[in-house]
Amino acid sequence: MPEHTAPAVIFRPEDCVVTFQELPSREPAIPQLLLKVKQRVTADPTRRASPHVAEEVIASIHFYRVRRHLCRHNFRSAMLRMDHFRSDELRQLSTTVFDQHGLLNYEFIGDEWHKGSGCFGVEMDYGTLIYIEDLRVKKEYRNQGLGSWVLQHLFDSKYVGLHDFVVLMPGRTDDQGPESGVRLSLAQCHEFFDKTEAFFRKNGFRRIGRTDFMAFSNNPEHPSRKLAATDDVKAHSYKSSRDFADAQIDAVLDGFNLAGREFPLHFAIQFAGTTLPYIQLLPHERMPIDNLIVLLHSYKPAIIHSQDRGGYTPLHIAAQTMNRLAIETLLNFDIAGADSDLHRRDNDGGLTPLEMVEFGMRREAIIVDGVVKAYPEEGLRCAYMLRKAMGEDVGSEEEYLEFSKWGCTCDECGGGWFSPRFKYRMMCEADSLYHTMECLLPDSAPGVPLGPTMIRITPGLEYVPAHLHANIDTTFAEGFHAILWAIRVLCDTPDIRAIPTPELIFEILTRSTNRVAVSYFDRGGQVEFVLDYVLDLMIAQSPIGDATFDVDTMEGLVAEGKCLEWVTMPRCQNDLNFELARARFGMKPKKDLYKLQYIGA
Ligand SMILES: [Zn+2]
């Protein structure tokens, strides 16, 4: 890698032309989700020595525009389906950095360690992502600022708006990189990564959390733009200096096909997986995983805490594979204290064993076509065991299992899924719909069907299925309206058990013999129709929709000193989990749930 060598050709911006070429994605499900663009810098044709000289590309950027808002109900599964990518970086981005809706993963907002410098937060949920796959500068033009110049052209182009984010993984891009086919030593690799990171930092990029990804905001007021390059955090990537051969215990392992393996214990635990209580590596040889751990430990105690090439200890692997027996056995070897394996995160993922289980469960719980899966019991039992070993007060195992299976991260969700922010949003939207409907309620005589036109123009009534339309009169509409009020009141009740489920609302309204509600129920009306109406508005105005509730309404109110509880309320992974709420309310998944109004492209 030549460094500080004089450039062979002088770069003169005035002699260059920048062009952008769009290559639409062939993704069949959501064709507009990804737009691939090639940005190229060529010499100005009018200034070429001869018009016959072939066009020379002296620098290029290949990038994707990822329009998350087009598929926010299944962002991750759409990204994961795109297997025609040359690299898997975008897939990695869609799992390690973003959640199923394309919103920033919870740990970058709620976890002190994972958020790194904290310069990127919830604002990253909005705007288009521009993912730079590749940045190249021709060798003879390097070290003259051409790389920065071409980046600046991208930032100034129509492809990057004020609130968009340019994301990349340094080292994958090629500026100042090694020639293709050249193999670098480990030390050279580290030097190369440090150098590319320094280049992108100089151009305003900062790290997202502690991941390998960096991002740039076009907004000069964004916190990342105010963070000094020297204050940016380093990636957590594990840099091994261990003697790998040290972990080999050949003699013991003959017969288990483990001989010669660098990390026999890691391998055995990985192999045993989640459910097998033993490992069976040969047809007639099996050994319970706990016995094998004890056996290996008796030969070489240090193997219990050994780190594999990625920096993971056997406890990490046992957690990742959700093998309870292996975790229990490993925890019995006096692992304790702050520096124990329970707290280690000096590995490639920067994860503790507990995070390996929990992040793993969260990734598995992808919602496909509206079907919501609870976290697996095996994983929850592992998480319980690890939390207990870490000294947390986790209560009884069965209670923990019941509360944690819906992925709550705030510890304040009703039923483990109805988060304080979800509840607040629901209260506000139900209140707003209540008042809208109140002004437009028909005043025809009771018992007289409203007819199709009135049903269409009365807000909410389109949520009543067609076969019941003949039953809709003024009283029916008032019953619908009364349920909106009941939802609003329940969401305004601080009690964690106050969840506006169809059962609870039905019980409250019929017990209180609310006249219009009883009549509504008698004629086939259901609480679910009203919940459907409220949930649709919640989604439409959330960051998954056009974000008007979060950005316009709440930011405005907070600026006026109102609704300040919104700011201090804990954040939870369930805050925008509308599919989960639908499922918990006992409602069917809705295919066209998100075909509402979205913010522009
Ligand atoms: Zn929660």
Side-chain angles (χ1 to χ4, degrees):
M1 198 162 44
E3 228 185 309
H4 305 303
T5 45
V9 184
I10 302 296
F11 157 60
R12 287 191 307 192
E14 63 275 20
D15 290 350
C16 294
V17 178
V18 181
T19 55
F20 292 90
Q21 184 193 0
E22 295 181 6
L23 307 168
S25 135
R26 291 190 303 269
E27 163 58 21
I30 306 146
Q32 296 82 30
L33 173 62
L34 275 189
L35 176 70
K36 186 170 181 173
V37 183
K38 283 183 179 179
Q39 179 188 359
R40 302 195 298 179
V41 181
T42 49
D44 182 346
T46 60
R47 290 169 186 261
R48 269 187 238 148
S50 152
H52 305 297
V53 174
E55 182 185 68
E56 185 195 24
V57 179
I58 61 172
S60 66
I61 294 180
H62 291 177
F63 64 90
Y64 290 97
R65 284 191 90 221
V66 186
R67 290 182 284 185
R68 290 175 288 180
H69 63 279
L70 291 176
C71 65
R72 287 223 147 157
H73 55 307
N74 61 358
F75 169 75
R76 188 178 286 161
S77 43
M79 295 296 272
L80 293 175
R81 273 204 302 272
M82 301 200 185
D83 51 5
H84 62 267
F85 278 135
R86 190 158 60 85
S87 71
D88 68 351
E89 289 158 50
L90 269 175
R91 288 155 164 253
Q92 216 177 314
L93 184 74
S94 69
T95 50
T96 55
V97 179
F98 296 105
D99 73 1
Q100 65 205 18
H101 302 295
L103 307 175
L104 201 61
N105 264 333
Y106 170 76
E107 67 265 26
F108 302 112
I109 298 151
D111 184 283
E112 283 309 312
W113 192 83
H114 282 285
K115 71 183 183 189
S117 74
C119 69
F120 295 106
V122 285
E123 77 290 346
M124 238 194 160
D125 295 346
Y126 312 113
T128 297
L129 295 175
I130 288 83
Y131 189 79
I132 295 188
E133 186 189 44
D134 196 47
L135 186 162
R136 287 169 196 272
V137 172
K138 226 177 164 189
K139 197 176 156 198
E140 51 271 39
Y141 284 89
R142 288 180 192 169
N143 298 319
Q144 319 180 58
L146 175 53
S148 302
W149 186 82
V150 69
L151 269 177
Q152 195 54 53
H153 267 269
L154 170 61
F155 300 159
D156 294 343
S157 75
K158 65 171 181 180
Y159 296 102
V160 187
L162 183 64
H163 298 293
D164 295 345
F165 291 90
V166 184
V167 182
L168 50 77
M169 193 193 263
R172 298 294 180 90
T173 53
D174 221 25
D175 186 51
Q176 304 165 355
E179 299 307 310
S180 61
V182 175
R183 279 188 79 102
L184 300 180
S185 71
L186 197 63
Q188 283 173 317
C189 270
H190 290 160
E191 190 197 328
F192 165 62
F193 272 84
D194 290 347
K195 205 173 140 189
T196 37
E197 285 195 5
F199 166 77
F200 287 113
R201 276 209 187 91
K202 188 179 80 185
N203 283 289
F205 285 80
R206 297 292 179 265
R207 189 171 307 288
I208 305 173
R210 291 176 191 270
T211 66
D212 291 331
F213 293 96
M214 296 177 94
F216 169 84
S217 164
N218 230 353
N219 181 357
E221 297 304 315
H222 188 271
S224 67
R225 298 285 297 275
K226 311 238 177 214
L227 182 72
T230 46
D231 292 340
D232 197 16
V233 290
K234 289 201 180 326
H236 54 60
S237 291
Y238 173 69
K239 294 196 173 65
S240 171
S241 59
R242 296 179 63 85
D243 178 1
F244 294 113
D246 191 46
Q248 297 182 3
I249 318 175
D250 287 7
V252 196
L253 302 163
D254 276 347
F256 277 102
N257 203 15
L258 289 173
R261 289 201 178 271
E262 275 181 342
F263 304 102
L265 183 53
H266 292 80
F267 177 80
I269 295 170
Q270 188 91 56
F271 196 91
T274 307
T275 48
L276 285 180
Y278 54 82
I279 57 163
Q280 178 154 17
L281 299 167
L282 291 173
H284 304 294
E285 296 278 3
R286 56 162 69 171
M287 180 182 259
I289 190 73
D290 51 342
N291 289 3
L292 184 83
I293 294 170
V294 173
L295 178 72
L296 290 176
H297 175 259
S298 68
Y299 278 84
K300 191 177 172 65
I303 199 170
I304 298 298
H305 302 292
S306 61
Q307 285 172 285
D308 67 9
R309 283 187 186 277
Y312 299 103
T313 67
L315 188 63
H316 283 83
I317 305 296
Q320 182 197 29
T321 54
M322 300 178 193
N323 190 318
R324 258 202 299 163
L325 185 59
I327 293 177
E328 198 174 5
T329 314
L330 288 164
L331 287 176
N332 281 337
F333 292 102
D334 72 321
I335 299 178
D339 56 348
S340 78
D341 293 351
L342 284 166
H343 299 274
R344 291 194 84 136
R345 45 166 98 255
D346 53 339
N347 49 59
D348 282 347
L351 302 175
T352 64
L354 176 65
E355 288 167 349
M356 290 192 81
V357 185
E358 293 191 334
F359 291 15
M361 287 193 289
R362 189 175 66 198
R363 258 152 233 181
E364 290 300 302
I366 289 180
I367 295 159
V368 180
D369 296 331
V371 179
V372 180
K373 277 197 295 181
Y375 283 9
E377 186 185 320
E378 209 52 37
L380 289 168
R381 290 193 190 277
C382 291
Y384 178 79
M385 205 183 288
L386 290 164
R387 283 186 183 275
K388 213 168 173 186
M390 290 164 88
E392 278 185 40
D393 178 17
V394 274
S396 83
E397 186 165 358
E398 293 315 309
E399 274 168 19
Y400 178 82
L401 252 59
E402 190 50 38
F403 184 83
S404 307
K405 66 180 172 190
W406 302 114
C408 168
T409 49
C410 72
D411 281 344
E412 292 185 26
C413 281
W417 61 273
F418 198 59
S419 84
R421 281 175 173 265
F422 193 100
K423 192 172 181 172
Y424 195 88
R425 183 187 298 275
M426 195 166 199
M427 175 188 74
C428 298
E429 300 291 32
D431 185 66
S432 134
L433 291 178
Y434 177 83
H435 290 295
T436 311
M437 197 175 176
E438 190 167 40
C439 307
L440 294 162
L441 269 180
D443 57 1
S444 48
V448 180
L450 292 187
T453 310
M454 281 306 289
I455 290 172
R456 203 172 56 245
I457 61 169
T458 309
L461 294 184
E462 73 266 41
Y463 283 83
V464 178
H467 72 272
L468 296 175
H469 282 191
N471 300 348
I472 301 182
D473 67 351
T474 306
T475 317
F476 190 99
E478 283 170 0
F480 190 102
H481 192 223
I483 292 168
L484 275 176
W485 182 247
I487 295 171
R488 189 230 176 276
V489 169
L490 274 171
C491 290
D492 198 18
T493 309
D495 190 334
I496 191 168
R497 289 163 304 180
I499 304 173
T501 59
E503 299 74 28
L504 185 56
I505 291 179
F506 180 81
E507 199 209 306
I508 292 171
L509 290 176
T510 48
R511 197 179 47 202
S512 68
T513 57
N514 181 301
R515 184 186 55 82
V516 288
V518 170
S519 162
Y520 173 83
F521 293 132
D522 282 348
R523 280 180 288 167
Q526 293 180 16
V527 176
E528 284 87 338
F529 308 153
V530 189
L531 285 171
D532 200 9
Y533 182 39
V534 178
L535 284 167
D536 267 8
L537 184 73
M538 290 169 72
I539 295 162
Q541 300 196 339
S542 77
I544 296 172
D546 66 8
T548 45
F549 177 78
D550 302 66
V551 178
D552 303 341
T553 313
M554 291 319 291
E555 282 183 12
L557 287 169
V558 169
E560 291 169 22
K562 296 174 192 156
C563 304
L564 294 177
E565 61 267 44
W566 177 249
V567 184
T568 51
M569 231 176 262
R571 288 187 182 274
C572 180
Q573 199 172 272
N574 287 336
D575 288 344
L576 297 171
N577 205 339
F578 300 105
E579 291 93 339
L580 176 62
R582 280 190 79 88
R584 296 284 84 214
F585 284 135
M587 296 157 72
K588 287 200 186 77
K590 197 162 158 183
K591 289 265 182 231
D592 58 351
L593 195 57
Y594 300 90
K595 288 195 178 141
L596 297 153
Q597 213 50 46
Y598 292 113
I599 321 185

